[in-house]
């Protein structure tokens, strides 16, 4: 499962790169689990390493 951590500052880079439109940013990023296919692209692009994979 992909999760957003407290390090997120809401820059929205992850929202821009997500091809599934699974991220919305309202102060902090939030992931729509019904849309997310766990491609991990957002993890690569987050400048603050605020996105993680947890089991
Ligand atoms: S790219 Fe990282 S810091 Fe920016 S909104 Fe997404 S999770 Fe937050
Ligand atoms: S893992 Fe992929 S599909 Fe899921 S939120 Fe990140 S970029 Fe979007």
């Amino acid at each position: 499962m992909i999760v957003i951590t407290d390090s997120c500052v809401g820059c929205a880079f992850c929202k821009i790169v997500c091809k599934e439109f699974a991220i919305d940013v309202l102060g902090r990023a939030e992931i729509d689990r019904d849309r997310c296919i766990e491609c991990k692209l957002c993890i690569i692009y987050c400048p603050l390493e605020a996105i993680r994979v947890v089991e």
Side-chain angles (χ1 to χ4, degrees):
M1 181 171 67
I2 308 282
V3 296
I4 308 292
T5 70
D6 290 344
S7 305
C8 174
V9 295
C11 71
F13 283 172
C14 56
K15 177 178 178 172
I16 292 165
V17 299
C18 179
K19 293 180 172 64
E20 302 299 323
F21 305 104
I23 301 180
D24 209 354
V25 179
L26 300 162
R28 255 177 61 175
E30 292 176 12
I31 295 179
D32 181 340
R33 308 215 176 280
D34 291 335
R35 286 180 178 268
C36 176
I37 58 169
E38 305 204 353
C39 70
K40 302 183 177 65
L41 203 61
C42 54
I43 293 176
I44 294 166
Y45 279 89
C46 176
L48 295 174
E49 298 182 5
I51 311 176
R52 299 250 169 86
V53 181
V54 296
E55 298 306 324

